[in-house]
Amino acid sequence: MTTLSSPAAQIGTVVRAPKTGELIATHLRRQIVRGELRPGETLPAESQLMEQYGVSRPTLREAFRILEAESLISVRRGSRGGARVIAPDASVAARYVGLLLQIGGATINDVYEARMISEPPCARLLALNRTDDDLEKLTAVVDQLKAEVAAREPFIPDPHTWSRLTYRFHELILEGCGNKTMAIQGAVLQDIVATHLRTKIAQRDDNDTAERFQRVIRSYTKLISLVKAGNTAAAEKHWRTHMENAAQYLLKDDLKTKPVVDLFA
């Protein structure tokens, strides 16, 4: 029997006890998070789990549905079926965070302000903690951007390709800074930021010249050189300046106050 207690609850407050299916899902989720159940591993047969937990098939399948909704397992029906553990994916969190930002009326400017607060210090940490692999990944993105510019004359960026590559550069800064929380934050905001950038590029204006996109590449290249040299203060300062300059382009006109929800309308 499970006993629930809450310090915030008052006498007379009705507290719903979790269903058995929810408790089983919690137990299995804990095993997945702790690595006791690894991605790719198949859970025991339903009959075995039913006996282990002392529950009926519908109750066990309720637990499976909860974990499926969280993208922690995939369930295959049939004689050769079963539940298989899958690696947690940041895109699941991204969907929920995106919905919360939309419901809360967050604007594109709000999202960008948060990034401007967090990313420059991450550039400093990247310069402190960088590895050869970090430098290779950052350089690979720059090489792909250069190839995009060289492939078209005059250069007109493909919104999907340019937004994917440029956001990947930002994402690598967060991933390489050594702070896992910041890396996940970057992944969570990826859809919003990339969608916004695609929208801006697709609009095109007089400032969308090949030189403007070349400046982006030069700025990325400079950051890589500062990170490689381990120049932490200069890396942070440069990336703050880069993002401030980018904001003048990205947050022009109605895009600055555009609610996040409008991006996905």
Side-chain angles (χ1 to χ4, degrees), residues 119 126 135 137-142 145 163-175 216-217 219-224 227 239 242:
E119 279 196 36
L126 175 62
L135 295 171
K137 289 178 178 177
L138 290 165
T139 302
V141 172
V142 169
L145 289 169
S163 62
R164 174 179 59 81
L165 290 174
T166 53
Y167 189 78
R168 179 56 181 159
F169 193 89
H170 286 261
E171 195 173 40
L172 287 170
I173 293 172
L174 300 179
E175 289 178 2
V216 172
I217 293 174
S219 179
Y220 287 5
T221 302
K222 181 176 180 179
L223 180 70
I224 293 173
V227 167
W239 202 240
H242 170 89

Side-chain angles (χ1 to χ4, degrees), residues 168-230:
R168 179 56 181 159
F169 193 89
H170 286 261
E171 195 173 40
L172 287 170
I173 293 172
L174 300 179
E175 289 178 2
C177 77
N179 186 293
K180 296 183 184 301
T181 303
M182 296 308 303
I184 292 174
Q185 174 186 299
V188 164
L189 293 177
Q190 179 179 9
D191 284 348
I192 294 173
V193 176
T195 301
H196 167 229
L197 184 55
R198 284 197 302 271
T199 301
K200 174 58 183 170
I201 293 174
Q203 287 183 348
R204 293 195 58 78
D205 59 35
D206 293 339
N207 293 319
D208 286 349
T209 62
E211 172 57 24
R212 197 195 75 77
F213 295 103
Q214 289 282 14
R215 284 199 302 271
V216 172
I217 293 174
R218 288 196 295 270
S219 179
Y220 287 5
T221 302
K222 181 176 180 179
L223 180 70
I224 293 173
S225 66
L226 293 172
V227 167
K228 185 176 181 179

Side-chain angles (χ1 to χ4, degrees), residues 19 23 75 94 102 121 124 136 163 168 203 236:
K19 296 180 180 178
L23 293 173
V75 179
Q102 292 176 50
R124 174 178 57 81
E136 288 175 5
S163 62
R168 179 56 181 159
Q203 287 183 348
E236 178 175 0

